[in-house]
């Protein structure tokens, strides 16, 4: 702690942006081109720095310690006799570290050179009170002739008294279905498929008529069952619905 | 080559957010007299697209007055008419001249005052006088610009009621009911 | 005497609140080619207190850099960027487009959340899409406002970029390789 340079180092602890930044700073203190730094010296300086920081019980972020461990490994690998099994080789790792330092150093220099340029708003100024280019937006309304005519059609339709026309179509009314069913059951048949009882339809029935007949027939069967005049049975879901008449004794 | 003082005055006036008096410029530049530099700049910029002018003792650059049209440009912003507007337009076209109360009676809905304004702004509807009935309501009619926009030679080119019906535009039958066989 | 087109281009650029590309100027003036007029104006203003510059394809007038000391006022000091921010900005400018992981690989340290935000808020950095690699990381690039602020006609004018590229210092960053110390 007698070396004022060390003081500066410690005080600047918060100033480093991570271990690579600290390494770069230490490397620059060697005052040689980054391509020619002594990596072993650099490792020693870094480890020494970390050791002193720990001695002073300064809190070091974990990545500084990770870097220290890695550098210690690198140093021992570099000093030990060459082991061809090591992949990548320690020399290769050292080169990569050097390349990283060079790249970071280059970016730091570039940042400084950028900041030193003639900057707009600091060294050069744009016009203080530009008139501005006015673009007058003129609304141009559009509509097509079809829009116009269709709109008139809509208005006319809205004006006309609304007439709902239900198309005339073939239906089997509930009354006629009831009548048919009572007749069919009256003949004293046993259990019969409901659909068979509706077979009085024309041979080539209109599909809608057949549907109507089935619906009305079903409703009629339910009505007769409710009145106690018929029984309904179904073996399983969706199985044919069977019906038989109930005749008072 | 422009001398340094003139250049400094030029840059100061260019960068300033408001017009500056000769005294203000001089103070800004350390107290040197600037009258000669200002005269030089006025001469330099004469006939350019930008000129140096003095207004009420203060100097500023401005674009040359004859180029004012260059700085303003018109741009079309096409917009579709609203449904209400086009209905009102159609009613006017088919029934003109027609009053606002009549338009409302035909549409069966109140007509927002803005709707007629939009149609007049578009240049398609004009005030065609007043109806000589109590209250003398304003009556509206279409314009030649209306005919031009919709490609009509005259209002007689508008399809008649029978044609609209033939085109299915007046079909009052509830579509949902007539479409049953589709399922 | 300056010709009418040159005057119109001059007035347009003087009046505009932001830099304009040649295409924007041409469109504003009704579609005429303006390259010759721009070249003429650059020559006209050379050596004056105001000059015409091109930054990232957009043109604007600005005061001559050597007059900075005359024009600088107290309130002009731009907000100071942190060291981290300016370093990240340089890395993006020299390597763009670049992902956050690549920036961190170069700096050897995590980037604080606010750093990129500050640069984007300043209008100097933009999101330039995603890199089509696993994880599809967001990639960043600089803007024309960045070029304008730092007085660069294009990225080719970045200080020392050719030397850095020749030295291999701008090669794509291999995140995996440069990350061994963090394992």
């Amino acid at each position: 702690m007698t070396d004022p340079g060390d003081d500066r180092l410690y005080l600047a602890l918060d100033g480093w942006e991570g271990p690579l930044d600290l390494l770069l700073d230490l490397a620059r203190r060697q005052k040689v081109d980054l391509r020619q730094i002594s990596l072993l010296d650099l490792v020693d300086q870094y480890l020494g720095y970390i050791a002193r920081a720990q001695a002073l019980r300064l809190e070091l972020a974990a990545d500084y310690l990770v870097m220290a461990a890695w550098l210690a490994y690198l140093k021992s690998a570099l000093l030990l006799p060459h082991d061809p099994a090591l992949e990548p080789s320690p020399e290769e790792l050292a080169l990569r570290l050097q390349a990283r330092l060079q790249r970071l150093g280059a970016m730091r220099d570039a940042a400084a050179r950028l900041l030193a340029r003639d900057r707009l708003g600091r060294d050069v100024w744009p016009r203080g009170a530009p008139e501005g280019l006015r673009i007058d937006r003129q609304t141009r309304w559009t509509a097509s002739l079809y829009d116009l005519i269709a709109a008139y059609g809509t208005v006319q339709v809205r004006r006309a008294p609304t007439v709902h026309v239900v198309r005339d179509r073939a239906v089997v009314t509930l009354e006629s279905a009831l009548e048919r069913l009572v007749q069919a059951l009256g003949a004293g048949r046993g259990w019969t498929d409901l659909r068979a009882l509706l077979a009085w339809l024309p041979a080539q029935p209109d599909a809608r008529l057949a549907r109507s007949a089935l619906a009305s027939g079903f409703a009629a069967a339910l009505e007769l069952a409710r009145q106690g005049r018929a029984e309904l049975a179904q073996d399983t879901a969706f199985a044919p619905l069977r019906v038989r008449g109930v005749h008072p004794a | 080559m422009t001398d340094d003082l003139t250049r400094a005055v030029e840059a100061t006036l260019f960068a300033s957010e408001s017009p500056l008096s000769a005294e203000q410029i001089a103070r800004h530049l350390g107290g040197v007299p600037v009258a000669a530099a200002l005269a030089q700049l006025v001469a330099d910029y004469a006939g350019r697209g930008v000129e140096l002018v003095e207004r009420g003792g203060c100097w500023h650059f401005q674009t040359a007055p004859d180029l004012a049209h260059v700085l303003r440009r018109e741009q079309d912003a096409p917009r579709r008419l609203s449904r209400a507007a086009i209905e009102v337009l159609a009613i006017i076209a088919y029934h003109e001249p027609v009053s606002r109360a009549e338009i409302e009676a035909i549409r069966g809905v109140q007509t927002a005052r803005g709707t007629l304004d939009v149609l007049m702004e578009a240049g398609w509807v004009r005030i065609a006088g007043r109806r000589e009935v109590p209250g003398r309501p304003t009556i509206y009619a279409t314009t030649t610009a209306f005919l031009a926009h919709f490609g009509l030679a005259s209002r007689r080119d508008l399809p008649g009621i029978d044609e609209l019906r033939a085109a299915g535009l007046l079909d009052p039958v509830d579509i949902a009911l007539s479409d049953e066989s589709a399922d």
Side-chain angles (χ1 to χ4, degrees), chain A residues 43-116:
Chain A
V43 170
D44 284 341
Q45 285 161 7
Y46 184 91
L47 295 177
Y49 169 75
I50 296 296
R52 275 173 302 187
Q54 284 178 317
L56 286 171
R57 296 165 190 271
L58 290 176
E59 242 179 85
L60 280 175
D63 46 350
Y64 286 87
L65 302 176
V66 171
M67 176 65 93
W70 186 80
L71 288 175
Y73 159 77
L74 177 64
K75 181 183 171 186
S76 62
L78 285 170
L79 293 176
L80 287 171
H82 184 63
D83 176 0
L86 273 184
E87 187 61 43
S89 70
E91 287 75 19
E92 170 69 23
L93 289 177
L95 277 177
R96 284 185 199 166
L97 177 61
Q98 226 159 341
R100 288 190 72 191
L101 289 174
Q102 273 186 59
R103 194 193 282 251
L104 181 61
M107 285 301 104
R108 188 150 303 164
D109 293 344
R113 288 169 78 180
L114 267 184
L115 281 188

Side-chain angles (χ1 to χ4, degrees), chain B:
Chain B
M1 189 63 196
T2 319
D3 70 271
D4 279 350
L5 177 59
T6 307
R7 293 179 71 235
V9 173
E10 184 181 23
T12 302
L13 281 167
F14 173 85
S16 172
E17 281 161 14
S18 53
L20 299 174
S21 68
E23 291 69 39
Q24 286 172 312
I25 303 168
R27 207 175 322 127
H28 190 83
L29 299 179
V32 289
V34 294
L38 286 168
Q40 177 67 46
L41 287 170
V42 169
D44 287 352
Y45 279 89
R48 298 205 63 92
V50 170
E51 54 188 32
L52 182 59
V53 294
E54 183 193 1
R55 297 276 182 268
C58 287
W59 296 82
H60 71 276
F61 280 110
Q62 67 175 28
T63 51
D66 66 304
L67 291 172
H69 66 282
V70 167
L71 307 182
R72 195 175 311 127
R73 200 166 52 114
E74 291 192 353
Q75 198 176 55
D76 274 353
R79 265 181 75 182
R80 287 184 70 82
L81 276 187
S82 71
R83 199 184 159 74
I86 197 145
E87 272 184 29
V88 170
L89 179 63
I91 291 167
I92 297 173
Y94 274 91
H95 297 265
E96 75 178 48
V98 65
S99 72
R100 187 176 154 139
E102 289 158 355
I103 295 169
E104 290 177 354
I106 295 170
R107 279 192 77 214
V109 202
Q110 284 227 328
T111 301
R113 187 167 290 276
T115 309
L116 276 164
D117 292 347
V118 163
L119 293 173
M120 288 197 277
E121 184 201 313
W124 293 339
V125 165
R126 65 190 165 85
I127 290 173
R130 288 177 180 280
R131 179 145 294 154
E132 291 306 334
V133 296
R136 301 187 69 243
T138 306
I139 48 178
Y140 299 89
T142 54
T143 62
T144 40
F146 162 79
L147 295 175
H149 180 88
F150 290 95
L152 300 165
S154 81
R155 279 184 55 242
R156 282 193 303 276
D157 285 357
L158 283 170
I161 297 291
D162 290 342
E163 286 169 90
L164 293 181
R165 186 167 292 122
L169 289 167
L170 296 184
D171 198 346
V173 177
D174 193 327
I175 309 245
L177 273 179
S178 61
D179 214 29
E180 200 183 27
S181 56
D183 52 29

